[in-house]
Amino acid sequence: MTSLDKSLLDEFESIVGASHALHEDELVASYSTDWTGRFKGSTPLVLRPGTTEEVAQILRVASDANVALVPQGGNTGLVGGSVPLRGEVVLSLLRLNVCEPVDVLAQQVSLGAGVTLAQAQNHVSPFNLAIGVDLAARDSCTIGGMIATNAGGINVVRYGPMRDQLLGVEAVTADGSSISHLEGLEKDNTGYHLPGLFAGSEGSLAVITKARLRLHPQLDERCSAMLAFKSVGDAVSATAQLRRSVPDLHAVEVIFREAMDLVSDYISTSIPVRSDGSAWLIVEAASSSDPTDQLAQAIGDLGDLVLDVAVGHDSTSRAGLWQFREKITEAIATRGTPHKLDVTLPASELAEFVSRIPEIISEVDRRATAVMFGHLGDGNVHVNVLGDDGLEPDNEVESAVLGYVAQLGGSISAEHGIGTAKKEFLHLNRSGQEIAIFRAIKSSFDPKGILSPNTLIPAEEQ
Ligand code: FAD
Ligand code: MLT
Ligand code: ZN
């Protein structure tokens, strides 16, 4: 399925117009490599449809000709699912970027799949409303990509992941048929919930073209704090306590030692609280009235568990604290191409997991290092493994770390998805019967297997 003959190229081009059918090497390059630089593919064609009908026409032609496609939004995905690893056509949804009027009465909005998160946030904010998911890639990641990966981010502790924001989708299946449920009914028990199925489907079932999202009140009164802890266990205990005692808890993020040193160096700013800790939390409370007192009281109640605290009340001081969390991914990227592992652990296993990881990794690759941080409120740790001197680490680190996660009862993918990077490890969390059901679902939406063939579903054993 890699090369396309001239008549097929012309047929695709006639759907979107010559300026939106890209084939020159320099134009398709950025669509073929993922954000981390670890997954590099190639494509004969990038198509940039401007309407749902154009998406449907493209899929009809692709299905008839048995041409594989990879849907792509902002290309910020971290598991290699957004790039054409076997010469697939790239279907870029970035031109589906219409934000429909905000439905203030229902507190909902319909957004094109190519709308970026930042664009969506700016669109709803004048109505004192907010999108429930927020993450550092907000300027590039798209609503379609966030649904397809069931993105998490920093506010899952309050609003849940992308799946929980979804009231309906419009999508096109592999044969070019459109389905649309954008009425936004809060209660609608009419059988299978397709939006929920598409959330986390990573482009393997259908191309999402539009979504109806639930909105939340915009909470402008905020207080953030950075807390230093002697041990990871103390940070875990404090997180549990804060979740119980802060009604307006909006985020509980964690930065472990190596990540803190790395980001502090990258942003050329010294750590605002005690720098001899093992773990730091960034905690935020948000409300319509000043939440400083409830957060201060809860932090005070942590007593000796906390080594040191810095508080940010106004937007400048809060941003000063948050940059230590938001810049970590960029900071890691300056040190090489990491293998990004994104796992959830039961709270009772978190401290042991974090302390054992360096040893587990060095048993496989003596020179590799682990840079860890994450969303502690959700039990989600990002383990970034860097090889020696900017090189990639030994591939075996994946099976060592993910095997350990499964042994502890955790998930091998908390929020980034499976993509191509994790699909050979899916069996660690999903039984053979479940994977067989995945395959059956995939084939009922995409019988020819033309949508994102490299992602999520492992190859069948011969
Ligand atoms: P892409 O990368 O383009 O695609 C991702 C997957 O979705 C691919 O499998 C693709 O085929 C599929 N897809 C894309 N659009 C569609 C569509 N319209 N229809 C069907 N399938 C589609 N992720 C988190 O969960 N939490 C975080 O906190 C977080 N922080 C990040 C911070 C940084 C700095 C970076 C670079 C990434 C971060 N990510 C995070 C990962 C990434 O931003 C998310 O996975 C995001 O949801 C991807 O959106 P995208 O538009 O870039 O999708
Ligand atoms: C984050 O939480 O910042 C992201 O998931 C990105 C990453 O893991 O690097
Ligand atoms: Zn994350």
Side-chain angles (χ1 to χ4, degrees):
M1 291 195 197
T2 51
S3 62
L4 294 178
D5 66 33
K6 171 89 173 71
S7 64
L8 208 47
L9 275 173
D10 289 348
E11 205 171 346
F12 280 129
E13 192 172 300
S14 72
I15 298 170
V16 292
S19 57
H20 297 298
L22 316 176
H23 28 76
E24 292 82 0
D25 287 351
E26 60 280 14
L27 296 182
V28 303
S30 64
Y31 296 87
S32 306
T33 300
D34 81 322
W35 193 91
T36 65
R38 179 178 171 198
F39 297 99
K40 297 187 175 77
S42 63
T43 184
L45 185 63
V46 174
L47 293 168
R48 295 167 36 91
T51 63
T52 300
E53 179 47 32
E54 286 181 8
V55 173
Q57 285 180 36
I58 290 168
L59 286 174
R60 268 177 233 132
V61 172
S63 173
D64 286 347
N66 213 19
V67 170
L69 299 121
V70 174
Q72 189 182 92
N75 198 13
T76 65
L78 298 173
V79 288
S82 53
V83 287
L85 295 177
R86 297 211 189 125
E88 297 87 348
V89 169
V90 174
L91 186 61
S92 167
L93 284 315
L94 288 176
R95 288 180 64 228
L96 301 187
N97 59 0
V98 174
C99 297
E100 294 189 3
V102 175
D103 183 342
V104 178
L105 200 59
Q107 301 199 7
Q108 300 174 1
V109 69
S110 294
L111 301 167
V115 169
T116 65
L117 174 56
Q119 202 187 332
Q121 289 169 331
N122 292 335
H123 180 62
V124 304
S125 145
F127 301 91
N128 284 325
L129 291 165
I131 308 282
V133 169
D134 191 19
L135 47 102
R138 59 183 74 79
D139 290 329
S140 308
C141 68
T142 63
I143 297 300
M146 291 169 68
I147 295 168
T149 57
N150 187 27
I154 55 183
N155 300 137
V156 172
V157 72
R158 187 155 207 177
Y159 300 129
M162 202 59 187
R163 182 177 281 130
D164 294 356
Q165 321 308 318
L166 255 189
L167 287 159
V169 290
E170 175 191 86
V172 182
T173 55
D175 65 356
S177 321
S178 299
I179 47 179
S180 176
H181 284 280
L182 298 169
E183 299 78 9
L185 302 175
E186 283 285 353
K187 298 185 93 174
D188 180 18
N189 259 348
T190 50
Y192 302 129
H193 190 247
L194 297 181
L197 187 58
F198 293 153
S201 64
E202 303 186 49
S204 66
L205 299 182
V207 178
I208 297 154
T209 49
K210 200 190 278 190
R212 182 85 174 167
L213 298 188
R214 174 178 290 124
L215 300 172
H216 303 273
Q218 179 164 283
L219 303 171
D220 286 330
E221 297 290 329
R222 293 187 181 219
C223 181
S224 308
M226 183 185 281
L227 282 60
F229 294 89
K230 188 162 63 342
S231 71
V232 176
D234 287 353
V236 173
S237 305
T239 299
Q241 216 170 303
L242 292 168
R243 290 186 63 192
R244 284 195 303 274
S245 59
V246 182
D248 291 316
L249 194 63
H250 209 62
V252 186
E253 299 287 299
V254 70
I255 306 171
F256 298 110
R257 177 83 259 169
E258 289 73 14
M260 188 51 120
D261 290 339
L262 183 60
V263 73
S264 165
D265 191 36
Y266 177 67
I267 60 177
S268 307
T269 311
S270 51
I271 308 168
V273 289
R274 284 254 305 258
S275 57
D276 57 344
S278 302
W280 291 261
L281 290 183
I282 299 197
V283 180
E284 184 159 281
S287 175
S288 50
S289 57
D290 187 358
T292 304
D293 287 349
Q294 57 168 286
L295 189 58
Q297 168 85 47
I299 292 173
D301 290 347
L302 294 175
D304 292 344
L305 213 50
V306 189
L307 290 178
D308 196 8
V309 182
V311 178
H313 297 283
D314 56 77
S315 58
T316 310
S317 57
R318 286 196 303 106
L321 298 179
W322 271 100
Q323 63 175 336
F324 283 86
R325 174 61 184 82
E326 296 235 310
K327 293 289 180 190
I328 297 176
T329 304
E330 277 175 45
I332 293 169
T334 64
R335 297 297 167 99
T337 303
H339 283 206
K340 295 184 91 67
L341 305 172
D342 157 44
V343 303
T344 324
L345 280 309
S348 55
E349 307 291 353
L350 262 162
E352 172 72 4
F353 173 80
V354 171
S355 72
R356 286 268 290 124
I357 281 301
E359 187 189 328
I360 287 178
I361 287 173
S362 73
E363 276 167 13
V364 176
D365 182 339
R366 207 167 39 85
R367 294 165 178 270
T369 49
V371 181
M372 291 185 274
F373 63 101
H375 313 279
L376 202 60
D378 322 319
N380 179 182
V381 181
H382 295 314
V383 182
N384 289 260
V385 189
L386 283 164
D388 185 34
D389 211 14
L391 296 172
E392 287 188 39
D394 191 310
N395 275 333
E396 288 302 309
V397 295
E398 255 99 338
S399 47
V401 173
L402 299 181
Y404 181 47
V405 168
Q407 188 191 320
L408 296 178
S411 167
I412 63 156
S413 172
E415 57 171 13
H416 294 164
I418 296 295
T420 202
K422 315 283 161 62
K423 65 180 181 173
E424 69 172 285
F425 302 105
L426 190 59
H427 68 93
L428 291 172
N429 282 146
R430 297 297 196 158
S431 67
Q433 180 60 18
E434 284 176 300
I435 294 173
I437 292 172
F438 280 17
R439 285 201 182 96
I441 293 173
K442 160 104 179 140
S443 90
S444 68
F445 279 91
D446 178 18
K448 293 185 171 178
I450 60 164
L451 281 178
S452 288
N454 303 313
T455 208
L456 182 57
I457 314 246
E460 273 189 272
E461 279 172 29
Q462 300 302 313

